[in-house]
Amino acid sequence: SPVAYEPDLAMSLNTLSLRLSGVGRREEAVAPIVEAVEIGRRWTKVSPVAYEPDLAMSLNTLSLRLSGVGRLEEAVAPIVEAVEVYRRLAKVSPVADEPYLAGSLHNLSNQLSGVGRLEEAVAPIVEAVGIYRRLAKVSPDAYEPDLAMSLNTLSNQLSGVGRLEEAVAPIVEAVGIRRRLAEVNPAAYEPALAGSLNDLSKQLSGVGRRERAVPPIVEAVGIRRRLAKVNPAAYEPALASSLNNLSILLSGVGRREEAVVPIVEAVEIYRRLAKVSPVACEPDLAGSLSNVSILLSGVGRREEAVAPIVEAVEIYRRLAKVSPAAYEPDLASSLHTLSILLPGVGQWEEAVAPIVEAVEIYRRLAKVDPAAYEPYLASSLHTLSILLSGVGRREEEAVAAMQEAQEIRRRFETDKF
């Protein structure tokens, strides 16, 4: 009796997908929602009024599930279709369907951003904020959390397209809302407050207000530390991220000695997490190792600075073998850092090989995207020239590397005019 039960089957498949995803079985969560969409699409052809809402919901879920397993490009089409359906439904029944439209617009913004369509990602989240703001005026208890979430995303999307000054006001408002909510119900809203404080710190730093950026990230670390004591599996990754950000910010305001402690702690957390989930956490571990190496060198602890960057290079090399497009830039950057640090401990000869490899990687990358990678190529060529000269050999190669670096930089200076 398909007429009687297929729509219910679709709803159960949707719920099954949600539950599988909720326990980390993300790959298994895709097939049920794909089937739910297929059923919903068939029944929408029979009775659009009755079944379009269910189809839109399943399309939204499908987009999230595809994104969750890294199929980012595929995740865009379902959410675009969901927004189209909810937009039609909201015209007929705004009270019932505007909240769903706003949620799908928020998801659409995230998916567009995830595939690098940053400019396109702004308009949907602006519209979502507008809808949630209207809804929150009528029913603040129901919609202020959604308004804060969308304001947070708006801030990040504006920052992503270089509209840094505009990005500050939304995140300030989001922090204000979430602080009020957390005062009433800390268990429910403190995690979100910590996330917004973390982002507020980044946005303030991005517009040069670094001193003002320190208190929000310190507060975020404090909240996440408390949460991680109760539930380390859920909150230690976020704590490590905030510690990393705190370290970068302290270093940026000249408090380098203080900056070492949080980044060392972040490395310890990421190392534990990477043992359990290497695919998810090794990139963060490598990034933190690179940061701790730079900071240790900056405070004169040069001998200690070498081991972390060597380990970062090893991790990025493994990652780049599997996903070169994603990790070759990080590998090149860490190789460059290693080549700079080795002479500080008297290893001039050993410093040449890493910078030669970094130059080779940046040269390949610059052929594909010269605007993005030629500046890094020029910097690496400059370092290569210094190192070749420093070891007292291959003077002709040193001169050639310096000349190439200058040519690249001259070309970029010309392009600016």
Side-chain angles (χ1 to χ4, degrees):
S1 183
V3 175
Y5 295 112
E6 264 206 334
D8 293 326
L9 172 59
M11 291 298 294
S12 292
L13 287 162
N14 192 92
T15 302
L16 174 59
S17 179
L18 291 169
R19 296 295 173 265
L20 288 168
S21 177
V23 296
R25 295 161 64 179
R26 294 180 179 178
E27 291 288 347
E28 296 174 68
V30 175
I33 195 61
V34 168
E35 187 179 355
V37 167
E38 291 170 354
I39 294 170
R41 208 180 288 287
R42 284 200 306 271
W43 283 101
T44 297
K45 290 178 182 178
V46 176
S47 178
V49 174
Y51 296 110
E52 270 200 330
D54 293 337
L55 173 61
M57 179 182 65
S58 293
L59 287 163
N60 192 79
T61 304
L62 174 59
S63 177
L64 293 170
R65 294 293 83 77
L66 290 171
S67 176
V69 295
R71 295 161 65 177
L72 303 182
E73 292 288 346
E74 295 175 70
V76 175
I79 194 59
V80 168
E81 186 178 355
V83 166
E84 291 171 355
V85 175
Y86 278 131
R87 198 180 296 285
R88 288 197 303 270
L89 294 170
K91 287 181 180 178
V92 178
S93 180
V95 174
D97 291 307
E98 272 202 328
Y100 295 111
L101 172 60
S104 290
L105 286 163
H106 187 275
N107 186 14
L108 173 59
S109 178
N110 284 332
Q111 302 303 348
L112 290 170
S113 176
V115 295
R117 296 160 65 177
L118 303 181
E119 291 288 347
E120 294 175 70
V122 175
I125 195 61
V126 169
E127 186 178 358
V129 166
I131 295 170
Y132 281 133
R133 197 180 295 285
R134 288 199 309 271
L135 293 169
K137 285 181 181 178
V138 178
S139 182
D141 290 345
Y143 294 109
E144 274 202 328
D146 294 319
L147 173 59
M149 176 185 67
S150 60
L151 285 163
N152 203 119
T153 300
L154 172 60
S155 176
N156 289 331
Q157 306 297 38
L158 290 170
S159 177
V161 295
R163 295 161 64 177
L164 304 181
E165 290 289 346
E166 295 175 69
V168 175
I171 193 62
V172 168
E173 186 178 359
V175 166
I177 294 170
R178 284 176 163 168
R179 196 181 295 285
R180 287 199 310 272
L181 294 169
E183 286 173 0
V184 177
N185 189 346
Y189 294 110
E190 271 202 330
L193 172 60
S196 288
L197 287 163
N198 191 82
D199 290 343
L200 173 59
S201 178
K202 288 192 290 185
Q203 306 303 8
L204 289 171
S205 178
V207 294
R209 293 148 71 178
R210 291 181 178 174
E211 291 290 348
R212 290 186 61 185
V214 174
I217 192 62
V218 169
E219 186 180 358
V221 166
I223 293 170
R224 286 175 166 172
R225 195 182 297 285
R226 288 199 309 271
L227 294 169
K229 285 181 180 178
V230 178
N231 189 345
Y235 295 110
E236 273 201 330
L239 171 59
S241 176
S242 287
L243 287 163
N244 194 76
N245 293 339
L246 173 59
S247 176
I248 292 168
L249 192 55
L250 289 172
S251 177
V253 296
R255 296 160 62 179
R256 292 184 179 178
E257 290 287 350
E258 294 176 67
V260 174
V261 175
I263 194 62
V264 168
E265 185 180 358
V267 166
E268 291 171 355
I269 294 170
Y270 281 132
R271 196 182 299 286
R272 289 199 304 270
L273 294 171
K275 288 180 180 178
V276 178
S277 181
V279 174
C281 298
E282 276 202 329
D284 293 320
L285 172 59
S288 291
L289 285 163
S290 183
N291 289 342
V292 77
S293 179
I294 292 166
L295 278 172
L296 288 171
S297 176
V299 297
R301 295 161 65 178
R302 294 178 179 177
E303 292 287 347
E304 296 174 69
V306 174
I309 196 62
V310 168
E311 186 179 358
V313 166
E314 292 170 354
I315 295 170
Y316 281 133
R317 196 182 299 286
R318 288 200 305 271
L319 293 170
K321 286 181 180 178
V322 178
S323 182
Y327 294 110
E328 275 202 328
D330 294 318
L331 172 59
S333 177
S334 60
L335 285 163
H336 192 175
T337 301
L338 175 59
S339 71
I340 292 170
L341 295 183
L342 286 173
V345 293
Q347 299 183 40
W348 283 84
E349 288 286 349
E350 293 85 348
V352 175
I355 196 62
V356 168
E357 186 178 358
V359 166
E360 291 171 353
I361 295 170
Y362 280 132
R363 200 181 295 286
R364 288 199 306 271
L365 294 170
K367 286 181 181 178
V368 179
D369 191 348
Y373 292 108
E374 278 200 333
Y376 295 106
L377 173 59
S379 178
S380 292
L381 285 163
H382 185 272
T383 301
L384 173 61
S385 176
I386 292 171
L387 289 173
L388 289 173
S389 179
V391 296
R393 59 187 175 84
R394 291 184 282 184
E395 194 61 36
E396 288 185 7
E397 293 178 51
V399 172
M402 185 62 75
Q403 287 176 339
E404 186 180 357
Q406 291 173 344
E407 287 171 8
I408 294 169
R409 286 168 172 165
R410 193 177 297 115
R411 188 164 63 247
F412 268 84
E413 287 299 319
T414 303
D415 289 345
K416 288 179 183 179
F417 294 98

